[in-house]
């Protein structure tokens, strides 16, 4: 597994709620901080255009091996009731691209969160450059961390949506 290949991870959960009921939850950029072990919070740079295409926000993160950092993200897809996606750092060559997707499923909705690493440099870049022989392990570990946080986030959103 190579960073240059844009490795991805995806997690889904079925929610007993309509896509329109989930939309305010997935576009609340502060909400995942309630469930994630890494995201500490986020704030819209210009709340008047959020969560529309091109809107930007600053996210605050922490990791035990890296410490704390901030990133600026740009909304690259915003289709109410369907998809909300953002690119971290440079939207043309992002460090990562994140996406929530809502798909009708029976009486409810399949809620999916997805992330692709790269192609731009990220916090993994220095580790990979200093240990190129361990690139597969570094990426696999990072994807596992993302999967864990994404699972917690989706389960949290599901609980909120189903509680009404």
């Amino acid at each position: 597994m190579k960073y240059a290949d844009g490795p991805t991870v995806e997690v889904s959960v079925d929610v007993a709620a309509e896509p329109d009921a989930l939309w305010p939850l997935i576009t609340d950029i502060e909400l995942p901080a309630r469930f994630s072990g890494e995201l500490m919070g986020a704030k819209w740079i210009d709340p008047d255009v959020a969560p529309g295409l091109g809107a930007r926000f600053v996210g605050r993160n922490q990791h035990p091996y890296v410490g704390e950092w901030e990133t600026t993200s740009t909304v690259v897809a915003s289709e109410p009731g369907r998809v909300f996606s953002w690119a971290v750092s440079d939207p043309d060559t992002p460090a990562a691209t994140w996406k929530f997707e809502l798909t009708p499923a029976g009486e409810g909705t399949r809620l999916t969160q997805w992330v692709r690493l790269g192609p731009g440099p990220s916090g993994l870049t220095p580790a990979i450059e200093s240990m190129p022989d361990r690139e597969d392990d570094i990426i696999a570990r990072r994807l596992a961390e993302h999967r864990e946080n994404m699972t917690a986030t989706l389960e949290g959103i599901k609980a909120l949506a189903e509680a009404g």
Side-chain angles (χ1 to χ4, degrees):
M1 185 173 342
K2 302 297 178 205
Y3 187 81
D5 295 333
T8 65
V9 65
E10 178 177 297
V11 177
S12 295
V13 65
D14 289 332
V15 183
E18 295 297 315
D20 289 344
L22 289 166
W23 182 252
L25 298 174
I26 68 168
T27 58
D28 179 350
I29 59 165
E30 296 182 51
L31 185 64
R34 291 174 56 182
F35 311 112
S36 171
E38 186 169 310
L39 179 66
M40 296 171 54
K43 294 271 188 220
W44 290 109
I45 293 171
D46 184 355
D48 294 334
V49 297
L53 193 62
R56 295 181 318 135
F57 62 91
V58 174
R60 291 178 298 107
N61 302 280
Q62 64 82 28
H63 190 280
Y65 296 118
V66 181
E68 294 184 13
W69 72 96
E70 289 187 347
T71 59
T72 299
S73 295
T74 303
V75 175
V76 295
S78 183
E79 300 173 33
R82 191 170 121 47
V83 65
F84 180 67
S85 178
W86 63 95
V88 179
S89 300
D90 180 353
D92 294 325
T93 54
T97 303
W98 291 83
K99 176 173 61 174
F100 283 111
E101 197 164 26
L102 303 169
T103 308
E107 297 292 315
T109 303
R110 170 145 294 192
L111 169 60
T112 301
Q113 188 175 22
W114 171 91
V115 65
R116 180 185 65 226
L117 304 181
S122 73
L124 291 181
T125 304
I128 292 168
E129 288 174 347
S130 69
M131 298 177 284
D133 57 318
R134 302 221 27 235
E135 182 173 8
D136 289 351
D137 296 333
I138 292 167
I139 292 169
R141 180 182 184 123
R142 189 63 176 141
L143 292 177
E145 291 171 340
H146 283 327
R147 179 180 300 282
E148 180 180 338
N149 283 312
M150 292 161 65
T151 298
T153 297
L154 292 188
E155 290 296 331
I157 291 171
K158 174 184 172 78
L160 290 172
E162 291 180 350

